[in-house]
Amino acid sequence: MNFHSAAFLFEQSRQDGAGLFPHFNRRIAAAAIPLAVGVAMALLPPPAGLAQYSWWYLALFVTVIIGLITEPIPAAAVGFLGVTIGAVLGRYILFSPAQLASTNPTSAAINWALSGFSNATVWLIFAAFVFSLGYEKTGLGKRLSLLLLSRLGGRTLTLGYAVMLADLILAPFMPSNTARSGGTIFPIIKNIPGFYQSRPNDPSSRRIGGYLMWTAIASTCVTSSMFLTALAPNVLAIELVRKTVHVELGWMQWFLAFLPVGLVLLLTTPLLAYVLYPPELKESPQVPEWARQELTAMGKLSGHEITLLILVLLALGLWIFGTAVLDPTTVALLVVSLLVITGCITWSDVLDDKPAFNTLIWFGTLVPLASGLAQTGFVAWLAGLVGPMLATMSPIGGLVGLIGLFFLLHYLFASTTAHTTALLPLMLTVATKIPGLSITTSALALALSLGIMGIITPYGTGPSPVYAGSGFLPGRDYWRLGAIFGAYFLAVFLLVGVPSLMFLS
């Protein structure tokens, strides 16, 4: 090897290293930040009134949440690692001394770690991905997407409003927003970006796919608050309100109370997404004509398309009218089974669906991690700490503080149902201590916020992991948009909803 060859190889290796090490350093930083915060918290003494084991658990939870934001490894792996460490350290961070004396911490810790995989919503999310696979394999998703494009595909903004309108039409009849948005809306709109050369997990995702996915998840959060029957925890909230403060809330009362807020958010959400997460492609006037040509080329519905359409209508019918007979997740698993039996998809297709299994593991680990906050007493401690402060405020100030606290605490929950169960009775009890505040007003205000709070995190509500795992919404973008839209939804709720509620009371 001569001198020039050696020099060339050295320079080439140096340049390659320059390309690799920044990425390597970013990964080190992404891992170091959550670890440093977690270790620092663990070394500090717990706040007054909070047990040491609860504080250590909170340190683990915060480490995982920051890890989900920085993503040194994929999000599902962060959750898997977090729940595994929780199980390993369960004796020290999950149980009080009294609990240790009366339980086997080893068995209890692993039962806690795996509890997310027995959660019905987790499996409904998984089924939503399989539904999407059926639309793709049979070609029905392509056909429905082309129909939408043939009418509204000329402008990206009108597509965004079409997605929102589809969710709004289904919302009053479907108490599972995972089934509605993740299982019905997502499989259709997932096919649209490809027509515009916008691909998942690729820089082209911002061409149009990212905008459509974010508009869909933001829209379903709004519609989930708009109707009592649009979100299962809404119904749970009504029952908890009745039992805790003996107040009856009705469907029309709920709808009218949220209507001023809902109108503002429905009119502005697709437009706000268009401004804050702008698609690169704004207009494509040739697309509608091209879509009509493609529909003609596809011809008539195939046998598998017709079969899938029947199964989808069966699922919708059972989700809307059959909840007294079959749980929404049972319906989803039944239809998945029928998809395989009828040949719309094969079992190999299911096994090859990596995004579905990735999301199953991710959400299945986040559910126990979030539930641990209530299990270790942290949630009750925090509510007890803030409650007396709210009780000294004016009625309007106390209500605003109560809603804001209830809303922001959703960062700690991977399930709206868990959030409702753990916090709503506590918040209602605090509300009764605020002088001059109508308990009906406070109960309505708290319950109405359950849907819109789901926007703030990639695990905040049932369909969130479906869109977060679509490949069109990178983790950092999801957290940033979640914070912005969460602040906007909360601001509109406080500025429009609270005054109208106070006026009605």
Side-chain angles (χ1 to χ4, degrees):
M1 180 183 291
N2 58 35
F3 171 78
H4 293 292
S5 298
F8 172 78
L9 289 175
F10 174 78
E11 178 62 20
Q12 186 67 39
S13 65
R14 187 187 68 79
Q15 292 177 3
D16 290 344
L20 290 172
F21 280 111
H23 176 69
F24 183 66
N25 289 336
R26 282 196 297 271
R27 287 194 63 183
I28 291 177
I33 291 171
L35 289 174
V37 173
V39 170
M41 283 185 63
L43 292 176
L44 291 172
L50 187 66
Q52 180 67 68
Y53 80 99
S54 301
W55 178 247
W56 282 338
Y57 182 82
L58 179 64
L60 172 65
F61 184 83
V62 170
T63 301
V64 171
I65 295 302
I66 297 176
L68 290 174
I69 298 172
T70 61
E71 282 197 50
I73 54 179
V78 172
F80 186 83
L81 183 59
V83 82
T84 301
I85 292 173
V88 170
L89 301 177
R91 181 184 299 271
Y92 309 102
I93 67 174
L94 286 174
F95 309 107
S96 67
Q99 290 171 322
L100 287 174
S102 60
T103 189
N104 181 342
T106 304
S107 299
I110 190 60
N111 289 338
W112 164 83
L114 298 177
S115 62
F117 295 100
S118 64
N119 182 281
T121 301
V122 171
W123 285 98
L124 186 54
I125 293 167
F126 175 80
F129 274 90
V130 180
F131 282 6
S132 174
L133 192 63
Y135 279 83
E136 178 184 340
K137 291 291 181 177
T138 63
L140 183 61
K142 179 180 179 181
R143 186 182 298 275
L144 294 174
S145 300
L146 286 170
L147 282 169
L148 191 60
L149 292 175
S150 68
R151 289 164 172 76
L152 299 166
R155 297 180 62 195
T156 304
L157 184 58
T158 57
L159 274 176
Y161 276 97
V163 170
M164 180 205 69
L165 182 61
D167 195 293
L168 179 65
I169 291 170
L170 292 172
F173 312 105
M174 296 182 68
S176 168
N177 65 353
T178 308
R180 180 174 73 250
S181 187
T184 305
I185 304 295
F186 173 75
I188 297 173
I189 67 169
K190 178 187 176 185
N191 294 274
I192 293 177
F195 297 127
Y196 297 90
Q197 291 77 51
S198 180
R199 298 175 179 82
N201 302 306
D202 185 84
S204 65
S205 64
R206 286 297 306 275
R207 187 170 173 82
I208 191 173
Y211 167 73
L212 288 180
M213 296 300 162
W214 184 257
T215 300
I217 183 60
S219 296
T220 206
C221 289
V222 175
T223 61
S224 293
S225 271
M226 192 153 193
F227 305 101
L228 171 58
T229 47
L231 186 70
N234 291 349
V235 182
L236 172 62
I238 293 297
E239 181 64 15
L240 291 175
V241 167
R242 186 181 66 80
K243 289 182 176 180
T244 307
V245 293
H246 311 293
V247 170
E248 299 284 348
L249 301 176
W251 195 97
M252 187 56 68
Q253 183 183 15
W254 180 294
F255 174 72
L256 292 175
F258 192 78
L259 185 60
V261 177
L263 289 175
V264 173
L265 294 183
L266 289 172
L267 289 172
T268 58
T269 293
L271 180 60
L272 186 63
Y274 191 81
V275 172
L276 295 179
Y277 203 56
E280 295 172 0
L281 184 67
K282 303 294 193 300
E283 294 186 9
S284 188
Q286 72 279 12
V287 164
E289 179 58 33
W290 167 83
R292 285 188 283 270
Q293 293 173 1
E294 288 291 306
L295 281 169
T296 302
M298 286 188 73
K300 296 180 179 180
L301 285 166
S302 68
H304 278 156
E305 285 182 271
I306 294 172
T307 302
L308 177 60
L309 188 57
I310 292 171
L311 293 178
V312 168
L313 293 174
L314 172 65
L316 284 174
L318 290 173
W319 280 332
I320 294 170
F321 303 110
T323 52
V325 180
L326 291 176
D327 181 86
T329 302
T330 305
V331 173
L333 296 178
L334 172 63
V335 174
V336 167
S337 302
L338 292 174
L339 285 172
V340 175
I341 291 171
T342 57
C344 290
I345 60 175
T346 66
W347 189 245
S348 294
D349 292 331
V350 177
L351 295 177
D352 290 339
D353 195 351
K354 292 181 181 178
F357 284 99
N358 182 69
T359 305
L360 177 70
I361 293 173
W362 178 36
F363 208 55
T365 54
L366 285 179
V367 166
L369 282 167
S371 70
L373 292 168
Q375 178 179 320
T376 57
F378 172 75
V379 170
W381 171 81
L382 185 60
L385 184 69
V386 177
M389 291 187 287
L390 294 175
T392 63
M393 302 175 71
S394 65
I396 186 71
L399 182 59
V400 168
L402 197 67
I403 296 168
L405 177 64
F406 190 58
F407 192 98
L408 293 175
L409 282 175
H410 195 56
Y411 274 105
L412 306 180
F413 290 88
S415 162
T416 311
T417 301
H419 181 121
T420 306
T421 305
L423 285 187
L424 185 57
L426 286 170
M427 294 297 170
L428 290 169
T429 303
V430 171
T432 62
K433 309 297 183 184
I434 300 175
L437 178 61
S438 164
I439 191 59
T440 301
T441 300
S442 57
L444 257 178
L446 291 168
L448 289 171
S449 68
L450 289 172
I452 57 175
M453 67 175 60
I455 194 63
I456 60 179
T457 68
Y459 51 84
T461 190
S464 299
V466 176
Y467 291 97
S470 68
F472 289 99
L473 293 170
R476 288 182 178 84
D477 289 354
Y478 203 116
W479 283 95
R480 176 175 60 84
L481 289 169
I484 295 171
F485 274 72
Y488 175 65
F489 286 2
L490 180 59
V492 172
F493 190 76
L494 294 177
L495 294 174
V496 177
V498 169
S500 63
L501 283 172
M502 299 293 284
F503 174 77
L504 290 173
S505 63

